[in-house]
Amino acid sequence: DTGVSQDPRHKITKRGQNVTFRCDPISEHNRLYWYRQTLGQGPEFLTYFQNEAQLEKSRLLSDRFSAERPKGSFSTLEIQRTEQGDSAMYLCASSYGGQSGEQYFGPGTRLTVT
Amino acid sequence: DAKTTQPTSMDCAEGRAANLPCNHSTISGNEYVYWYRQIHSQGPQYIIHGLKNNETNEMASLIITEDRKSSTLILPHATLRDTAVYYCIVRVAGSQGNLIFGKGTKLSVKP
């Protein structure tokens, strides 16, 4: 078990392009979370999956954002028609969902929109 | 919004104990106190959590006041690698919900 992994680690794109990020959670974890973090701020929640079901979405998740977890394993986060305001670190976390419920984070994908 | 208040920054000498305070005066009876840290350019890392009793693990100790309105994270012998932003979060243990991060405390460990 190598923990939560994310790909790519860095992405530079031009405004208006679409981007897709991937997250591979810890294998036995059934819960998967996406967060966004801008400079100087703590991570902000975007969306959450339990197995393949997307159970919660933040109002930060505009209609240009879509997330999937098709087989309850890895997840993808797609941003369509990127804007400069989308530049941020996108973090993925997973958890087992037991009593303690701590979340384990990946290293993040840093997106720069030029 | 985050339900906790933390100092913006703190310094600590290497090898000394780092004591990071957190106020959570509106904490509910079923909410736990969680601590995470984030080293520069990495994802947050879970440290410890507790309800009302003091807790200790290999990374840190958590001291929660009797009225549960505040807590202190203690790193007993801080090293340069402990330089990070430390987040104090309250949430119901085992809840499905997301973590709500504030801005945390930037701890700088100095040689």
Side-chain angles (χ1 to χ4, degrees):
Chain A
D1 181 6
T2 57
V4 179
S5 62
Q6 293 187 244
D7 183 71
R9 294 292 308 276
H10 304 273
K11 178 70 176 178
I12 300 174
T13 190
K14 293 184 177 180
R15 188 177 53 189
Q17 298 295 304
N18 300 341
V19 295
T20 300
F21 310 141
R22 176 179 171 124
C23 170
D24 287 89
I26 294 171
S27 57
E28 64 268 26
H29 285 182
N30 60 353
R31 295 177 182 172
L32 187 148
Y33 304 79
W34 285 98
Y35 293 82
R36 180 178 73 183
Q37 185 173 27
T38 54
L39 197 62
Q41 304 295 318
E44 297 174 290
F45 169 73
L46 291 178
T47 190
Y48 150 65
F49 291 85
Q50 179 154 319
N51 299 313
E52 66 276 8
Q54 188 173 16
L55 296 186
E56 188 175 350
K57 293 191 287 187
S58 162
R59 63 180 180 276
L60 294 175
L61 209 69
S62 75
D63 56 5
R64 296 185 297 106
F65 288 69
S66 63
E68 295 183 342
R69 195 183 182 198
K71 296 183 180 179
S73 56
F74 74 91
S75 175
T76 58
L77 178 68
E78 181 183 15
I79 309 174
Q80 295 182 327
R81 306 180 303 279
T82 53
E83 302 172 355
Q84 286 188 322
D86 297 330
S87 295
M89 175 76 85
Y90 289 85
L91 293 160
C92 175
S94 69
S95 73
Y96 179 67
Q99 181 63 24
S100 59
E102 61 262 29
Q103 296 180 16
Y104 295 87
F105 284 79
T109 295
R110 179 162 297 284
L111 172 67
T112 302
V113 181
T114 61
Chain B
D1 291 345
K3 297 174 64 175
T4 63
T5 304
Q6 299 177 253
T8 301
S9 63
M10 293 181 63
D11 291 341
C12 177
E14 188 178 21
R16 303 296 294 271
N19 298 286
L20 293 96
C22 178
N23 287 322
H24 31 80
S25 58
T26 61
I27 192 169
S28 300
N30 63 346
E31 287 183 315
Y32 284 61
V33 180
Y34 286 76
W35 283 84
Y36 284 74
R37 74 179 183 183
Q38 188 171 25
I39 295 170
H40 183 63
S41 295
Q42 298 183 20
Q45 176 190 21
Y46 167 80
I47 301 173
I48 197 168
H49 76 282
L51 181 62
K52 55 183 178 181
N53 297 321
N54 298 337
E55 301 288 343
T56 295
N57 63 19
E58 65 278 5
M59 290 183 68
S61 294
L62 174 60
I63 309 298
I64 302 173
T65 58
E66 191 170 345
D67 63 7
R68 302 208 325 120
K69 293 185 177 181
S70 65
S71 61
T72 301
L73 179 75
I74 301 172
L75 308 178
H77 305 286
T79 72
L80 299 179
R81 289 175 296 179
D82 292 321
T83 292
V85 178
Y86 287 76
Y87 297 100
C88 171
I89 299 167
V90 297
R91 71 193 292 258
V92 177
S95 69
Q96 298 182 8
N98 54 290
L99 297 169
I100 300 175
F101 291 83
K103 293 189 176 181
T105 296
K106 175 66 193 298
L107 175 68
S108 298
V109 181
K110 300 183 183 299

